[in-house]
Each structure stands twice: as C-alpha cells, then as structure tokens.
Amino acid sequence: MTRWRALLQSPQTLFKASLSQQIVLWVFASIITIEVIILVPSVYRRQHELLQNLREISAAKASGILDMKPTYASDAELLEYISYTQNNKVVLGGRLYANGREVGTFGEPPDLTWADIVNRKTVDFQRAKARYDAVWQMSSLAAPYTLVIRHDASFVNREFYYFILRISGLVVIISIFVTGATMVILNRMVITPICRLRQDLVYAGDVISREELDPLPRFMSIPTQRRDELGEVTMAFGQMIDQIAKAIAQRKQAEKTIERLAEIGELSSMIVHEVRNPLTTVLMGLHSFRNMDLSDRARTRLTLALEESERLQRLLNEILMYAKEQTLELEPLNLNEMVTELATALRDQPGVCDRHLHLSLSPQPVWIQADRDKLKQVCINLVSNACEAVRDGETIAWSVMSSDRPGYTHICIHNGGDPIPADILPKLTRPFFTTKSSGNGLGLAITKRIIEAHSGRLWIESTQETGTTVTVCLPCLPTAPHGLDPTLVQPQNPQPGA
C-alpha cells in the first residue's frame, strides 16, 4: 500500500517526467500554430470591415452635403461644398479630380494620386500614420468626377489592436485549456501507468534477485485492464513474471532433486564400499575352498558362486568408476603410436583375434594431451563392443583422422552387422542401459564421461547401408612437444557432428 500511496499522492509526477513535458510542449505549440493559421485571416478580415465602415461613413456625409449643392455648380464650387465633409471627425481632407485633372484639395491632402487610381489602386492604408485614403466614385455628380478622401484611421488601428488582443487571449485560453486537459488525460492514461510499470520493474528485479516469487508479489500495473499497446506491454510483463516464477520454482525443485540424487549417490558409494570389503572376504573364502576335496556337485556350485561373486565385484568396481569424479593424469600422446601399440596387443585377445582389425592412421603425427590409461580404456571398450556386434571373420575398421574443425582429431571405430535402431541410439550412453543379455550398461556411460573429461565428444551413427560407426572427437595440440616440428591437423574426411 505504501508504494500505491506514494505514487498516487504525487501530482507533480507529470511535470517531472521528461516524456510528458515533451508531449505537452508539442501539444501546446501545435494548438498555437493551428489557431494562428486559422485566425490570421479573421484579423485581416476585421481590419477590412473597419476600413469599409470608415469609408461608408465619410461617403454618406459627402453625399448629404452634395445633395444640397446647386444643380449647375462649377468645379471650384463643387470642391467648396465637398470641403464641408471635414466637419466629420473621421475626414481629414480630400482631393477632387475631373477627367483626370486635379481640381483642388482641401484639408490634409491624400497620398493616393491619379496615377495610383489609373493603376487600379483605390485605397491606401498607412497604419503608422493612422491614415486611410479611399476613392469615392460620386454617384451624386457627373461621371468625370473622382473624389479621394483622407480618413483618420486612429479608431481603426485601436479597434484592430483590441481585436488582436482579444483573439490572442482567446487562443491562449483555448491552448491552455486543451493543454491542461491533455495533461490530465496523459497523466491518467500514459504517465501514471508507465511510472507504475517502471516501479514494478524495479520491484520485480529486487524480488527476483531474492527469489521471493512464491506467492507472487502484488504489482501495481498488472491488475490494470487496458485495450491498447500499453496494456499489451503490461500483459507481457505479467506473463514474464509468471514464467520467471515457474522457472524459479522448477529450478528449486530440480535443485532439491539434484540434492536428493547427490545424497543417494553418496549413499550408493558408501554401500558399494561397504559391500566390496565383505565381498572380498567371501571371494577369498571361496578361493580357499577350491583346494579342498569336493564332490562334483559341490565344485560346480563353488564355481558358480565364484563366477557370480567376481561379476558382482566387477559391477561394484564399475559403479565406483562411474560415480567418482574423473581425474586425469595428462601427458602429450602421439595418437598414431598409441593406437598402433594398442591394436597390436588387442589382436591376440579373445573376442578380437577371430575378427579382422583393420587400422588406418593419420598421414601426419597427431599429438593430444590425454590420460594414457583412460584413453586406452576407451579404445578397448569401443573395439570390444564392435567385435561383439559382428560374427567371426568380419572386419573392424579402426581409424585416426583429422576433423573438419581446426584443432580437433577423430578416432573412428566402424563395424558391420545389424544396425542399431534409431530410438535406441540416444540411450546407449545412459548408465545401466544395455542391449546385451549379460551387460550392466555402464561401459559406454563410463567411456562418455572419460571423453568429456578430455573436453571431447562421443557420438554413434548406425544405418542399414553403412553399418555402425562410433566417433570420438578430441582436441589436439597445435604443435608437437619436445621442440619437434609443428604438426597441424589438416582436414581429410569430415565426419558428422564434429
């Protein structure tokens, strides 16, 4: 409630917001500009009306005087009669023309000349002098006569300026009213929601950093229902908060699950350790029974017990190997030499000796930084799996080649035989998943962990046409150790997934 009260009790918020200041300023300037454009013609129209009224007054006075003149009057007498129009306070003087010839002037002479009249200039308004000269075609006289009357335009100037002041005041009042209404509406519809949203964003950042989104805090802008762009932004903000709250809840749940799994893992490791010690004692006892004189039936049972105990011991060892963190004793290795030595040793091993092991090495020495024993374990496991997948006499292709990624090399092991189903391929490296009747599903899982500890990758491809290929991608050294010539890995046969 404090945040709501602080915002609603700040009427000066509109004036502090730079956005509102710019909008209000532009609205005020736009209204002034529009009003000026519209009202300027009205000002000049008012000036024309005042001058026309002044002209009509003087013309009416001159007509009244001329109506009293003799029928046949000379030019001088006519000028004398017209001069009586000076009794009207708006008439200052005049000039009479007969057929373009100046008859004479009276009072203050007009500046409007016959040449101006010939050029169709019938009025001359001088605001600075407050003088207005106008031509009156005298209907009371014969056509040849033309009278130019000089008027006192002080009244016109005064009324003109008063009119401008009235119009300007009206424009300012209208502009202030419209601008004020715009400010109120702008504050209600734009500025206040934006300020609320801004405070909500700051508040949301604070509660997210403290992960206090359960239950969701109350935000000022989210309850507002608007059918405009600002409403869409507010709705998106609410959706974002919901998604963040769900993500944090899921992460906390995952952390609890991970903690639980870690506890289970520690418990499992402890159980494995506790089982291994008595199992070793049991194995020692069973081995001692082999020296005793037993019946065939008892010896068969003893052999079966020994086999199962040794299998259980191997399983416990593999579980420990998978569970513990992979620590590497890294050293520079010539991959071609290591693979050649290992292939020579494996060719005489059971399960491999009945297959053809074809070795293909990189044409240039390939140096890597690796743990020799663990990398040998990886290769032995992959070659053994390949040999188990084919019949006697078939070929296992084992190759070392460059990757299409600079700085990496590939170890590929290929075998024929039946393809691995596509739905099983992603599961092969999961712990305890196996397609073998006697396997425990930890071999490939341990292999993957060792490869990843070397900053490498493992992937398996299998199709009916090409068979099964297991690829190990490892980073290689850019130069050979011990000061040998640089041995950069060059791309040869790009492999998928590199």
Side-chain angles (χ1 to χ4, degrees), residues 336-484:
N336 283 348
E337 291 181 1
M338 191 206 76
V339 170
T340 302
E341 295 173 0
L342 189 57
T344 302
L346 286 176
R347 283 192 176 99
D348 298 329
Q349 296 296 321
V352 181
C353 59
D354 297 329
R355 279 82 172 170
H356 297 293
L357 187 58
H358 177 73
L359 193 61
S360 175
L361 301 176
S362 173
Q364 297 178 351
V366 179
W367 289 90
I368 63 173
Q369 193 81 3
D371 187 312
R372 181 184 296 270
D373 293 335
K374 293 194 174 183
L375 192 58
K376 283 184 176 181
Q377 180 184 350
V378 168
C379 294
I380 292 172
N381 189 22
L382 295 180
V383 171
S384 299
N385 288 344
C387 291
E388 292 175 2
V390 297
R391 293 184 291 271
D392 294 348
E394 295 192 12
T395 300
I396 304 298
W398 188 0
S399 60
V400 177
M401 62 180 64
S402 300
S403 169
D404 57 353
R405 291 177 61 188
Y408 286 84
T409 189
H410 285 172
I411 302 173
C412 299
I413 299 173
H414 173 268
N415 63 270
D418 296 331
I420 302 174
D423 58 331
I424 293 180
L425 278 176
K427 304 176 183 179
L428 290 178
T429 55
R430 295 180 184 176
F432 303 108
F433 179 85
T434 181
T435 58
K436 303 175 185 177
S437 58
S438 59
N440 53 42
L442 286 173
L444 280 177
I446 295 173
T447 298
K448 182 181 179 183
R449 289 203 63 190
I450 293 175
I451 294 171
E452 291 176 346
H454 284 81
S455 300
R457 291 183 56 203
L458 168 72
W459 66 88
I460 305 172
E461 298 170 316
S462 184
T463 62
Q464 183 69 42
E465 296 77 14
T466 61
T468 301
T469 302
V470 181
T471 303
V472 177
C473 179
L474 294 172
C476 57
L477 296 174
T479 57
H482 311 302
L484 298 179

Side-chain angles (χ1 to χ4, degrees), residues 17 88 101 105 107 120 124 338 429 435 446 478 497:
N88 188 343
R101 176 181 57 82
T105 61
R120 299 183 181 278
D124 181 21
M338 191 206 76
T429 55
T435 58
I446 295 173

Side-chain angles (χ1 to χ4, degrees), residues 53-81:
N53 183 48
L54 189 63
R55 184 177 180 180
E56 290 176 355
I57 292 174
S58 62
K61 180 66 175 177
S63 297
I65 292 174
L66 289 177
D67 286 341
M68 296 182 295
K69 71 174 179 59
T71 304
Y72 300 100
S74 64
D75 294 344
E77 292 175 339
L78 180 60
L79 179 62
E80 182 180 358
Y81 274 97

Side-chain angles (χ1 to χ4, degrees), residues 22-34 171-180 182:
Q22 296 178 27
I23 294 176
V24 169
L25 179 62
W26 278 106
V27 169
F28 184 80
S30 300
I31 294 174
I32 291 291
T33 303
I34 293 173
V171 168
V172 171
I173 292 173
I174 293 175
S175 301
I176 293 175
F177 176 79
V178 174
T179 303
T182 303

Side-chain angles (χ1 to χ4, degrees), residues 51 55 58 93-98 100-106 108-126 129 131-137 146-151:
L51 293 175
R55 184 177 180 180
S58 62
R95 179 180 287 115
L96 181 64
Y97 293 97
R101 176 181 57 82
E102 181 177 333
V103 175
T105 61
F106 62 92
E108 184 178 331
D111 292 336
L112 192 65
T113 64
W114 180 255
D116 296 329
I117 299 173
V118 172
N119 293 327
R120 299 183 181 278
K121 183 179 181 182
T122 59
V123 294
D124 181 21
F125 178 52
Q126 302 173 21
K129 296 180 179 180
R131 297 295 183 264
Y132 175 59
D133 299 340
V135 175
W136 178 47
Q137 298 294 339
T146 302
L147 176 63
V148 179
I149 301 177
R150 164 150 285 204
H151 304 82

Side-chain angles (χ1 to χ4, degrees), residues 45 61 70 101 111 120 149 155 200 212 242 248 262 283 289 332 334 364-365 385-386 438 442 486 491-492:
R45 185 167 53 251
K61 180 66 175 177
R101 176 181 57 82
D111 292 336
R120 299 183 181 278
I149 301 177
F155 171 76
D200 284 346
E212 297 178 354
D242 291 339
I248 291 177
L283 277 171
F289 284 144
N334 188 324
Q364 297 178 351
N385 288 344
S438 59
L442 286 173
Q492 292 179 353

Side-chain angles (χ1 to χ4, degrees), residues 157-219:
N157 277 350
R158 186 169 56 254
E159 288 295 323
F160 178 76
Y161 290 130
Y162 286 162
F163 182 77
I164 291 178
L165 289 175
R166 289 194 299 270
I167 294 298
S168 300
L170 181 62
V171 168
V172 171
I173 292 173
I174 293 175
S175 301
I176 293 175
F177 176 79
V178 174
T179 303
T182 303
M183 290 169 61
V184 173
I185 297 174
L186 185 66
N187 184 47
R188 178 183 178 87
M189 299 186 63
V190 179
I191 302 303
T192 298
I194 289 179
C195 291
R196 289 175 178 173
L197 184 59
R198 180 183 60 188
Q199 291 196 3
D200 284 346
L201 288 171
V202 175
Y203 182 51
D206 181 54
V207 297
I208 290 173
S209 64
R210 292 184 278 108
E211 297 187 356
E212 297 178 354
L213 291 175
D214 187 18
L216 281 175
R218 185 183 181 189
F219 294 99

